[in-house]
Amino acid sequence: MASATSSVPSASVPGPDAPHLPDTARDLVKILITGPFGVGKTTLIDSVSEIRPLHTEERLTEASAQVDDLEGVREKTTTTVAIDFGRISLPHGIVLYLFGTPGQERFRPLWDDIAYGALGALVLVDSRRVDASFDVLGLVEESGLPYAVAFNVFPDAPRQHSEEQLRRALDLEAGTPMVACDARERNSSVDALLALVQHLIDRDRPESR
Ligand SMILES: Nc1nc2c(ncn2[C@@H]2O[C@H](COP(=O)(O)OP(=O)(O)OP(=O)(O)O)[C@@H](O)[C@H]2O)c(=O)[nH]1
Ligand SMILES: [Mg+2]
């Protein structure tokens, strides 16, 4: 991937209902969308995908009531039990294949297979419960995948945290991109993906090696 995506307005990215790869497609890239339970992974893939996304949602039942913490996402009725999949074409011929992981620890055995071959990860974090992201961030770092963090903005999220505080809480390196994101909003989600792609491109430059 040699082209820069900086200053690409997210609104210029093709919308949904574009099932065929554009002729200009050049760099086909697998990206992992990950994060803890209920943070908005499925929602983000839904909001950006130009093909009908693949989901593996199952209803949350009483059996999981003691294990799946619905604090902050009370209206949630389903959960991803295997994978989400979507695709988005960006400018400069870059096409992202988005692979979403499940959020719960009990699906951990699937994680490595879903992550296999990915070039980078977008880690979603809920600023109301930052500590819920520690395990996933640990996994991503262990895997060596470059990543960007997208803070999902929920309406009752505390406003008092500065970017610096959030970075410190997550122990992020200075070069790791961190953006605010509303996974329900296409442009916002595309911007988060563009931040990740730019990060991957910057790391790929000879002078950064
Ligand atoms: N306000 C707000 N709500 C969101 C956002 N992202 C997701 N939601 C809501 O949060 C709930 C959980 O979203 P999901 O997309 O199912 O979360 P997930 O990370 O895929 O969940 P699991 O697969 O179960 O781990 C849904 O009710 C979404 O509508 C966001 O950015 N802002
Ligand atoms: Mg999901």
Side-chain angles (χ1 to χ4, degrees), residues 20-146:
H20 304 295
L21 263 187
D23 294 340
T24 50
R26 206 186 57 206
D27 292 311
L28 310 183
V29 181
K30 176 175 177 178
I31 295 291
L32 194 68
I33 307 294
T34 192
F37 174 63
V39 75
K41 304 175 291 293
T42 301
T43 304
L44 184 139
I45 291 178
D46 254 349
S47 70
V48 300
S49 186
E50 65 199 9
I51 55 172
R52 188 152 62 87
L54 168 80
H55 295 307
T56 56
E57 293 293 291
E58 288 295 340
R59 290 193 72 75
L60 285 163
T61 63
E62 278 186 17
S64 74
Q66 304 302 314
V67 225
D68 296 332
D69 182 3
L70 283 170
E71 192 59 45
V73 281
R74 293 261 166 237
E75 72 287 6
K76 190 169 162 57
T77 55
T78 64
T79 187
T80 305
V81 295
I83 198 170
D84 294 310
F85 176 74
R87 192 191 78 202
I88 180 169
S89 302
L90 300 176
H92 308 295
I94 300 172
V95 178
L96 305 184
Y97 288 92
L98 307 174
F99 286 71
T101 68
Q104 295 103 321
E105 174 59 29
R106 62 182 175 280
F107 298 122
R108 164 75 182 84
L110 298 173
W111 206 91
D112 294 330
D113 287 335
I114 298 173
Y116 184 79
L119 274 199
L122 186 65
V123 182
L124 300 188
V125 172
D126 181 341
S127 58
R128 300 168 303 176
R129 43 191 186 107
V130 172
D131 52 343
S133 303
F134 291 167
D135 286 351
V136 176
L137 274 170
L139 275 178
V140 174
E141 281 180 1
E142 215 175 277
S143 71
L145 274 181

Side-chain angles (χ1 to χ4, degrees), residues 43-44 47 152-155 181-186 189:
T43 304
L44 184 139
S47 70
N152 231 353
V153 184
F154 285 82
C181 165
D182 185 330
R184 299 164 305 172
E185 296 289 330
R186 183 164 199 278
S189 300

Side-chain angles (χ1 to χ4, degrees), residues 2-3 10 13 24 32 34 72 87-88 107 117 125 156 163 178 203 208:
S3 321
S10 47
V13 171
T24 50
L32 194 68
T34 192
R87 192 191 78 202
I88 180 169
F107 298 122
V125 172
D156 53 340
E163 178 176 333
M178 192 181 81
R203 283 171 49 97
S208 69

